[in-house]
Short mmCIF file of all heavy atoms in Angstrom, two decimals:
data_model
loop_
_atom_site.label_atom_id
_atom_site.label_comp_id
_atom_site.label_asym_id
_atom_site.label_seq_id
_atom_site.Cartn_x
_atom_site.Cartn_y
_atom_site.Cartn_z
N GLU A 1141 6.05 20.76 3.92
CA GLU A 1141 4.69 20.79 3.53
C GLU A 1141 4.50 20.34 2.06
O GLU A 1141 3.53 19.57 1.84
CB GLU A 1141 4.09 22.19 3.70
CG GLU A 1141 3.99 22.70 5.12
CD GLU A 1141 5.30 23.15 5.69
OE1 GLU A 1141 6.30 23.38 4.86
OE2 GLU A 1141 5.38 23.24 6.94
N ASP A 1142 5.33 20.81 1.19
CA ASP A 1142 5.23 20.38 -0.19
C ASP A 1142 5.55 18.89 -0.35
O ASP A 1142 4.88 18.14 -1.11
CB ASP A 1142 6.14 21.19 -1.08
CG ASP A 1142 5.68 22.60 -1.25
OD1 ASP A 1142 4.52 22.89 -0.95
OD2 ASP A 1142 6.54 23.47 -1.65
N ARG A 1143 6.61 18.38 0.37
CA ARG A 1143 6.92 17.01 0.30
C ARG A 1143 5.86 16.15 0.93
O ARG A 1143 5.63 15.02 0.48
CB ARG A 1143 8.24 16.79 0.98
CG ARG A 1143 9.47 17.39 0.24
CD ARG A 1143 10.75 17.15 0.99
NE ARG A 1143 11.90 17.61 0.18
CZ ARG A 1143 13.17 17.48 0.53
NH1 ARG A 1143 13.47 16.91 1.70
NH2 ARG A 1143 14.15 17.87 -0.23
N GLN A 1144 5.20 16.67 1.91
CA GLN A 1144 4.17 15.87 2.63
C GLN A 1144 2.98 15.58 1.66
O GLN A 1144 2.36 14.51 1.77
CB GLN A 1144 3.65 16.66 3.78
CG GLN A 1144 2.66 15.81 4.71
CD GLN A 1144 3.30 14.56 5.23
OE1 GLN A 1144 4.42 14.61 5.82
NE2 GLN A 1144 2.61 13.46 5.13
N TYR A 1145 2.69 16.46 0.70
CA TYR A 1145 1.65 16.18 -0.28
C TYR A 1145 1.96 14.89 -1.05
O TYR A 1145 1.07 14.09 -1.26
CB TYR A 1145 1.44 17.36 -1.20
CG TYR A 1145 0.54 17.07 -2.32
CD1 TYR A 1145 -0.81 16.88 -2.15
CD2 TYR A 1145 1.02 16.96 -3.62
CE1 TYR A 1145 -1.73 16.62 -3.18
CE2 TYR A 1145 0.16 16.77 -4.73
CZ TYR A 1145 -1.17 16.51 -4.49
OH TYR A 1145 -2.00 16.26 -5.55
N VAL A 1146 3.18 14.70 -1.44
CA VAL A 1146 3.60 13.49 -2.17
C VAL A 1146 3.36 12.31 -1.23
O VAL A 1146 2.85 11.23 -1.64
CB VAL A 1146 5.07 13.59 -2.63
CG1 VAL A 1146 5.48 12.31 -3.32
CG2 VAL A 1146 5.24 14.80 -3.55
N LEU A 1147 3.80 12.37 -0.04
CA LEU A 1147 3.66 11.27 0.92
C LEU A 1147 2.18 10.94 1.18
O LEU A 1147 1.81 9.78 1.31
CB LEU A 1147 4.36 11.61 2.24
CG LEU A 1147 5.87 11.62 2.17
CD1 LEU A 1147 6.45 12.36 3.43
CD2 LEU A 1147 6.43 10.21 2.17
N ASP A 1148 1.36 11.99 1.22
CA ASP A 1148 -0.05 11.80 1.51
C ASP A 1148 -0.71 11.05 0.35
O ASP A 1148 -1.50 10.17 0.56
CB ASP A 1148 -0.74 13.12 1.68
CG ASP A 1148 -0.34 13.85 2.98
OD1 ASP A 1148 0.24 13.15 3.83
OD2 ASP A 1148 -0.58 15.09 3.09
N ARG A 1149 -0.36 11.37 -0.87
CA ARG A 1149 -0.90 10.67 -2.05
C ARG A 1149 -0.42 9.25 -2.04
O ARG A 1149 -1.17 8.32 -2.38
CB ARG A 1149 -0.44 11.42 -3.34
CG ARG A 1149 -1.07 12.82 -3.48
CD ARG A 1149 -2.56 12.73 -3.75
NE ARG A 1149 -2.99 11.95 -4.87
CZ ARG A 1149 -2.88 12.35 -6.18
NH1 ARG A 1149 -2.50 13.60 -6.45
NH2 ARG A 1149 -3.22 11.55 -7.13
N TYR A 1150 0.81 9.03 -1.70
CA TYR A 1150 1.36 7.66 -1.59
C TYR A 1150 0.55 6.87 -0.60
O TYR A 1150 0.14 5.69 -0.89
CB TYR A 1150 2.85 7.79 -1.12
CG TYR A 1150 3.56 6.47 -0.93
CD1 TYR A 1150 3.88 5.63 -1.98
CD2 TYR A 1150 3.99 6.14 0.37
CE1 TYR A 1150 4.62 4.49 -1.75
CE2 TYR A 1150 4.76 4.98 0.60
CZ TYR A 1150 5.06 4.14 -0.49
OH TYR A 1150 5.81 2.96 -0.29
N ASP A 1151 0.28 7.44 0.58
CA ASP A 1151 -0.55 6.73 1.56
C ASP A 1151 -1.96 6.48 1.16
O ASP A 1151 -2.53 5.44 1.43
CB ASP A 1151 -0.51 7.52 2.92
CG ASP A 1151 0.82 7.52 3.60
OD1 ASP A 1151 1.70 6.70 3.23
OD2 ASP A 1151 1.03 8.34 4.57
N ASN A 1152 -2.51 7.38 0.41
CA ASN A 1152 -3.83 7.18 -0.16
C ASN A 1152 -3.90 5.86 -0.92
O ASN A 1152 -4.83 5.08 -0.83
CB ASN A 1152 -4.26 8.32 -1.17
CG ASN A 1152 -4.72 9.57 -0.48
OD1 ASN A 1152 -4.95 9.61 0.70
ND2 ASN A 1152 -4.85 10.62 -1.26
N ASN A 1153 -2.87 5.65 -1.82
CA ASN A 1153 -2.85 4.46 -2.64
C ASN A 1153 -2.57 3.21 -1.87
O ASN A 1153 -3.14 2.13 -2.25
CB ASN A 1153 -1.82 4.75 -3.79
CG ASN A 1153 -2.36 5.61 -4.83
OD1 ASN A 1153 -3.06 5.20 -5.76
ND2 ASN A 1153 -2.03 6.93 -4.73
N ILE A 1154 -1.76 3.28 -0.88
CA ILE A 1154 -1.57 2.05 -0.03
C ILE A 1154 -2.86 1.66 0.63
O ILE A 1154 -3.19 0.49 0.69
CB ILE A 1154 -0.46 2.31 1.03
CG1 ILE A 1154 0.88 2.52 0.36
CG2 ILE A 1154 -0.45 1.22 2.08
CD1 ILE A 1154 2.04 2.88 1.29
N ARG A 1155 -3.60 2.64 1.15
CA ARG A 1155 -4.88 2.34 1.78
C ARG A 1155 -5.85 1.79 0.73
O ARG A 1155 -6.56 0.80 0.98
CB ARG A 1155 -5.47 3.64 2.38
CG ARG A 1155 -6.84 3.47 3.01
CD ARG A 1155 -6.88 2.37 4.15
NE ARG A 1155 -8.19 2.13 4.58
CZ ARG A 1155 -8.77 2.68 5.73
NH1 ARG A 1155 -8.00 3.50 6.46
NH2 ARG A 1155 -9.93 2.38 6.06
N TYR A 1156 -5.87 2.39 -0.50
CA TYR A 1156 -6.76 1.84 -1.53
C TYR A 1156 -6.52 0.40 -1.87
O TYR A 1156 -7.44 -0.41 -1.99
CB TYR A 1156 -6.62 2.73 -2.78
CG TYR A 1156 -7.25 2.24 -4.06
CD1 TYR A 1156 -8.59 1.75 -4.06
CD2 TYR A 1156 -6.52 2.15 -5.21
CE1 TYR A 1156 -9.16 1.28 -5.23
CE2 TYR A 1156 -7.10 1.66 -6.37
CZ TYR A 1156 -8.38 1.24 -6.39
OH TYR A 1156 -8.94 0.69 -7.52
N ILE A 1157 -5.25 0.01 -2.07
CA ILE A 1157 -4.83 -1.36 -2.33
C ILE A 1157 -5.40 -2.24 -1.26
O ILE A 1157 -6.06 -3.32 -1.54
CB ILE A 1157 -3.35 -1.51 -2.43
CG1 ILE A 1157 -2.79 -0.81 -3.64
CG2 ILE A 1157 -2.95 -2.98 -2.49
CD1 ILE A 1157 -1.23 -0.67 -3.64
N ASN A 1158 -5.17 -1.92 -0.03
CA ASN A 1158 -5.52 -2.80 1.04
C ASN A 1158 -7.03 -2.86 1.33
O ASN A 1158 -7.51 -3.88 1.78
CB ASN A 1158 -4.72 -2.45 2.30
CG ASN A 1158 -3.27 -2.79 2.21
OD1 ASN A 1158 -2.89 -3.97 2.39
ND2 ASN A 1158 -2.35 -1.84 1.92
N ASP A 1159 -7.72 -1.83 1.00
CA ASP A 1159 -9.22 -1.87 1.12
C ASP A 1159 -9.75 -2.86 0.01
O ASP A 1159 -10.67 -3.57 0.28
CB ASP A 1159 -9.79 -0.46 0.87
CG ASP A 1159 -9.63 0.39 2.17
OD1 ASP A 1159 -9.15 -0.19 3.22
OD2 ASP A 1159 -9.93 1.60 2.11
N GLU A 1160 -9.13 -2.78 -1.21
CA GLU A 1160 -9.67 -3.66 -2.26
C GLU A 1160 -9.32 -5.09 -1.93
O GLU A 1160 -10.05 -6.02 -2.23
CB GLU A 1160 -9.00 -3.28 -3.63
CG GLU A 1160 -9.65 -2.07 -4.23
CD GLU A 1160 -11.08 -2.32 -4.58
OE1 GLU A 1160 -11.41 -3.29 -5.32
OE2 GLU A 1160 -11.95 -1.51 -4.16
N LEU A 1161 -8.19 -5.33 -1.29
CA LEU A 1161 -7.80 -6.68 -0.95
C LEU A 1161 -8.76 -7.37 0.03
O LEU A 1161 -8.88 -8.57 0.08
CB LEU A 1161 -6.37 -6.72 -0.37
CG LEU A 1161 -5.21 -6.73 -1.37
CD1 LEU A 1161 -3.88 -6.41 -0.73
CD2 LEU A 1161 -5.18 -8.10 -2.03
N GLU A 1162 -9.43 -6.60 0.80
CA GLU A 1162 -10.37 -7.17 1.74
C GLU A 1162 -11.41 -7.98 1.01
O GLU A 1162 -11.85 -9.10 1.51
CB GLU A 1162 -11.12 -6.03 2.48
CG GLU A 1162 -12.21 -6.47 3.41
CD GLU A 1162 -11.66 -7.23 4.67
OE1 GLU A 1162 -10.47 -7.05 5.05
OE2 GLU A 1162 -12.48 -8.00 5.21
N ARG A 1163 -11.78 -7.58 -0.21
CA ARG A 1163 -12.75 -8.38 -1.02
C ARG A 1163 -12.20 -9.74 -1.31
O ARG A 1163 -12.92 -10.73 -1.33
CB ARG A 1163 -13.10 -7.61 -2.24
CG ARG A 1163 -13.85 -6.34 -2.15
CD ARG A 1163 -14.46 -5.86 -3.40
NE ARG A 1163 -13.48 -5.47 -4.39
CZ ARG A 1163 -13.44 -5.87 -5.72
NH1 ARG A 1163 -14.29 -6.76 -6.08
NH2 ARG A 1163 -12.52 -5.41 -6.52
N LEU A 1164 -10.92 -9.78 -1.66
CA LEU A 1164 -10.29 -11.07 -2.04
C LEU A 1164 -10.07 -12.00 -0.86
O LEU A 1164 -10.25 -13.19 -0.94
CB LEU A 1164 -8.97 -10.74 -2.75
CG LEU A 1164 -8.19 -11.96 -3.43
CD1 LEU A 1164 -9.18 -12.71 -4.36
CD2 LEU A 1164 -7.02 -11.42 -4.17
N TYR A 1165 -9.69 -11.36 0.27
CA TYR A 1165 -9.43 -12.17 1.49
C TYR A 1165 -10.71 -12.88 1.90
O TYR A 1165 -10.59 -14.02 2.46
CB TYR A 1165 -8.95 -11.29 2.61
CG TYR A 1165 -7.56 -10.70 2.46
CD1 TYR A 1165 -7.27 -9.44 3.01
CD2 TYR A 1165 -6.64 -11.22 1.62
CE1 TYR A 1165 -5.99 -8.88 2.83
CE2 TYR A 1165 -5.39 -10.64 1.41
CZ TYR A 1165 -5.04 -9.56 2.05
OH TYR A 1165 -3.85 -8.88 1.93
N THR A 1166 -11.85 -12.35 1.69
CA THR A 1166 -13.11 -13.01 2.08
C THR A 1166 -13.37 -14.22 1.29
O THR A 1166 -14.22 -15.03 1.75
CB THR A 1166 -14.26 -11.97 1.98
OG1 THR A 1166 -14.44 -11.57 0.63
CG2 THR A 1166 -14.08 -10.74 2.86
N ARG A 1167 -12.75 -14.38 0.17
CA ARG A 1167 -12.98 -15.58 -0.67
C ARG A 1167 -12.08 -16.70 -0.19
O ARG A 1167 -12.22 -17.88 -0.70
CB ARG A 1167 -12.63 -15.28 -2.06
CG ARG A 1167 -13.60 -14.27 -2.75
CD ARG A 1167 -14.97 -14.89 -2.95
NE ARG A 1167 -14.91 -16.08 -3.78
CZ ARG A 1167 -14.90 -16.09 -5.14
NH1 ARG A 1167 -15.07 -14.97 -5.76
NH2 ARG A 1167 -14.84 -17.21 -5.79
N LEU A 1168 -11.20 -16.53 0.74
CA LEU A 1168 -10.23 -17.57 1.15
C LEU A 1168 -10.64 -18.28 2.43
O LEU A 1168 -11.35 -17.68 3.19
CB LEU A 1168 -8.84 -16.96 1.32
CG LEU A 1168 -8.28 -16.18 0.12
CD1 LEU A 1168 -6.95 -15.58 0.46
CD2 LEU A 1168 -8.13 -17.13 -1.06
N GLY A 1169 -10.20 -19.53 2.50
CA GLY A 1169 -10.54 -20.27 3.71
C GLY A 1169 -9.39 -20.46 4.69
O GLY A 1169 -8.25 -19.97 4.44
N PRO A 1170 -9.59 -21.01 5.79
CA PRO A 1170 -8.50 -21.11 6.81
C PRO A 1170 -7.32 -21.98 6.43
O PRO A 1170 -6.25 -21.83 6.99
CB PRO A 1170 -9.26 -21.80 8.05
CG PRO A 1170 -10.46 -22.47 7.42
CD PRO A 1170 -10.86 -21.66 6.22
N ASN A 1171 -7.47 -22.85 5.45
CA ASN A 1171 -6.38 -23.69 4.95
C ASN A 1171 -5.60 -23.08 3.79
O ASN A 1171 -4.70 -23.78 3.30
CB ASN A 1171 -6.86 -25.07 4.64
CG ASN A 1171 -7.37 -25.86 5.84
OD1 ASN A 1171 -6.83 -25.71 6.96
ND2 ASN A 1171 -8.47 -26.52 5.71
N ASP A 1172 -6.01 -21.96 3.36
CA ASP A 1172 -5.29 -21.35 2.21
C ASP A 1172 -4.07 -20.62 2.70
O ASP A 1172 -4.00 -20.15 3.81
CB ASP A 1172 -6.26 -20.33 1.52
CG ASP A 1172 -7.44 -21.07 0.83
OD1 ASP A 1172 -7.27 -22.21 0.44
OD2 ASP A 1172 -8.51 -20.48 0.70
N ILE A 1173 -3.10 -20.44 1.73
CA ILE A 1173 -1.82 -19.74 2.04
C ILE A 1173 -1.87 -18.38 1.47
O ILE A 1173 -2.23 -18.25 0.26
CB ILE A 1173 -0.67 -20.57 1.51
CG1 ILE A 1173 -0.61 -21.98 2.15
CG2 ILE A 1173 0.66 -19.86 1.67
CD1 ILE A 1173 0.34 -22.95 1.43
N VAL A 1174 -1.51 -17.39 2.21
CA VAL A 1174 -1.43 -16.01 1.72
C VAL A 1174 -0.06 -15.49 2.03
O VAL A 1174 0.43 -15.63 3.17
CB VAL A 1174 -2.46 -15.09 2.38
CG1 VAL A 1174 -2.36 -13.67 1.75
CG2 VAL A 1174 -3.90 -15.65 2.12
N VAL A 1175 0.63 -14.95 1.03
CA VAL A 1175 1.98 -14.29 1.21
C VAL A 1175 1.85 -12.84 0.78
O VAL A 1175 1.56 -12.59 -0.42
CB VAL A 1175 3.05 -15.04 0.45
CG1 VAL A 1175 4.44 -14.36 0.72
CG2 VAL A 1175 3.08 -16.49 0.80
N TYR A 1176 1.99 -11.90 1.69
CA TYR A 1176 1.91 -10.51 1.35
C TYR A 1176 3.31 -9.91 1.41
O TYR A 1176 4.00 -10.06 2.42
CB TYR A 1176 1.01 -9.81 2.42
CG TYR A 1176 0.80 -8.35 2.25
CD1 TYR A 1176 -0.43 -7.86 1.77
CD2 TYR A 1176 1.78 -7.40 2.55
CE1 TYR A 1176 -0.70 -6.47 1.64
CE2 TYR A 1176 1.53 -6.03 2.43
CZ TYR A 1176 0.32 -5.60 1.94
OH TYR A 1176 0.08 -4.24 1.78
N PHE A 1177 3.79 -9.28 0.33
CA PHE A 1177 5.12 -8.78 0.29
C PHE A 1177 5.21 -7.66 -0.76
O PHE A 1177 4.31 -7.43 -1.58
CB PHE A 1177 6.10 -9.90 -0.22
CG PHE A 1177 5.87 -10.30 -1.60
CD1 PHE A 1177 6.67 -9.83 -2.61
CD2 PHE A 1177 4.94 -11.30 -1.96
CE1 PHE A 1177 6.45 -10.19 -3.95
CE2 PHE A 1177 4.73 -11.72 -3.28
CZ PHE A 1177 5.51 -11.16 -4.25
N ALA A 1178 6.29 -6.85 -0.67
CA ALA A 1178 6.62 -5.82 -1.63
C ALA A 1178 7.95 -6.22 -2.26
O ALA A 1178 8.78 -6.98 -1.70
CB ALA A 1178 6.73 -4.45 -1.02
N ASP A 1179 8.18 -5.69 -3.49
CA ASP A 1179 9.46 -5.97 -4.15
C ASP A 1179 10.56 -5.02 -3.69
O ASP A 1179 11.77 -5.27 -3.75
CB ASP A 1179 9.29 -5.83 -5.69
CG ASP A 1179 8.60 -4.60 -6.11
OD1 ASP A 1179 8.02 -3.83 -5.28
OD2 ASP A 1179 8.60 -4.29 -7.33
N HIS A 1180 10.19 -3.77 -3.24
CA HIS A 1180 11.13 -2.78 -2.81
C HIS A 1180 10.32 -1.71 -2.11
O HIS A 1180 9.10 -1.63 -2.16
CB HIS A 1180 12.02 -2.28 -3.89
CG HIS A 1180 11.20 -1.69 -5.10
ND1 HIS A 1180 10.62 -0.48 -5.04
CD2 HIS A 1180 10.86 -2.23 -6.26
CE1 HIS A 1180 9.94 -0.28 -6.20
NE2 HIS A 1180 10.07 -1.37 -6.90
N GLY A 1181 11.07 -0.73 -1.56
CA GLY A 1181 10.35 0.45 -0.93
C GLY A 1181 10.46 1.65 -1.82
O GLY A 1181 10.38 1.51 -3.12
N GLU A 1182 10.53 2.80 -1.23
CA GLU A 1182 10.61 4.06 -1.98
C GLU A 1182 11.37 5.07 -1.17
O GLU A 1182 11.21 5.12 0.05
CB GLU A 1182 9.16 4.59 -2.25
CG GLU A 1182 9.11 5.77 -3.16
CD GLU A 1182 9.16 5.40 -4.62
OE1 GLU A 1182 9.94 4.43 -4.98
OE2 GLU A 1182 8.47 6.04 -5.44
N GLU A 1183 12.23 5.87 -1.82
CA GLU A 1183 12.93 6.89 -1.13
C GLU A 1183 12.18 8.22 -1.20
O GLU A 1183 11.89 8.71 -2.32
CB GLU A 1183 14.38 7.12 -1.59
CG GLU A 1183 15.12 8.17 -0.73
CD GLU A 1183 16.51 8.42 -1.11
OE1 GLU A 1183 17.00 7.80 -2.09
OE2 GLU A 1183 17.15 9.30 -0.48
N PHE A 1184 11.85 8.81 -0.07
CA PHE A 1184 11.28 10.16 -0.04
C PHE A 1184 12.29 11.11 0.62
O PHE A 1184 12.07 11.59 1.75
CB PHE A 1184 9.95 10.10 0.74
CG PHE A 1184 8.92 9.32 0.06
CD1 PHE A 1184 8.51 8.10 0.54
CD2 PHE A 1184 8.29 9.83 -1.06
CE1 PHE A 1184 7.49 7.38 -0.12
CE2 PHE A 1184 7.27 9.11 -1.76
CZ PHE A 1184 6.87 7.90 -1.21
N TRP A 1185 13.35 11.36 -0.06
CA TRP A 1185 14.45 12.25 0.37
C TRP A 1185 15.15 11.81 1.62
O TRP A 1185 15.81 12.62 2.29
CB TRP A 1185 13.81 13.68 0.53
CG TRP A 1185 13.17 14.16 -0.69
CD1 TRP A 1185 13.73 14.66 -1.79
CD2 TRP A 1185 11.75 14.15 -0.96
NE1 TRP A 1185 12.79 14.98 -2.75
CE2 TRP A 1185 11.56 14.71 -2.29
CE3 TRP A 1185 10.62 13.77 -0.25
CZ2 TRP A 1185 10.31 14.79 -2.83
CZ3 TRP A 1185 9.36 13.88 -0.80
CH2 TRP A 1185 9.16 14.43 -2.13
N ASP A 1186 15.04 10.54 2.03
CA ASP A 1186 15.68 10.02 3.22
C ASP A 1186 17.18 10.28 3.15
O ASP A 1186 17.87 10.62 4.17
CB ASP A 1186 15.44 8.51 3.43
CG ASP A 1186 13.98 8.24 3.47
OD1 ASP A 1186 13.31 8.31 2.36
OD2 ASP A 1186 13.45 7.89 4.53
N HIS A 1187 17.78 10.04 2.00
CA HIS A 1187 19.21 10.22 1.79
C HIS A 1187 19.46 11.20 0.63
O HIS A 1187 20.46 11.11 -0.06
CB HIS A 1187 19.92 8.89 1.57
CG HIS A 1187 20.04 8.05 2.79
ND1 HIS A 1187 19.10 7.20 3.25
CD2 HIS A 1187 21.05 7.99 3.72
CE1 HIS A 1187 19.50 6.62 4.37
NE2 HIS A 1187 20.69 7.09 4.69
#
């Protein structure tokens, strides 16, 4: 339960980023190139 609070906050921010990106995507046309990527992940006590 305590660890889940950290994960929940993490997910909040992922959703926030992607909601803001919707504004930028609407400025692009069908011939534009978009590359969506991350530099690395995050360990939440997996190991």
Side-chain angles (χ1 to χ4, degrees):
E1141 293 77 16
D1142 288 344
R1143 291 179 173 181
Q1144 187 61 47
Y1145 171 68
V1146 178
L1147 289 163
D1148 292 343
R1149 293 292 303 279
Y1150 178 68
D1151 289 347
N1152 280 352
N1153 282 276
I1154 293 176
R1155 177 61 186 260
Y1156 168 51
I1157 293 169
N1158 286 282
D1159 284 353
E1160 283 298 305
L1161 276 166
E1162 176 68 24
R1163 294 194 292 132
L1164 188 52
Y1165 294 152
T1166 60
R1167 294 290 302 274
L1168 303 177
N1171 293 322
D1172 294 331
I1173 298 167
V1174 182
V1175 182
Y1176 182 105
F1177 68 96
D1179 51 347
H1180 55 78
E1182 188 81 323
E1183 184 179 359
F1184 292 109
W1185 304 281
D1186 304 72
H1187 286 87

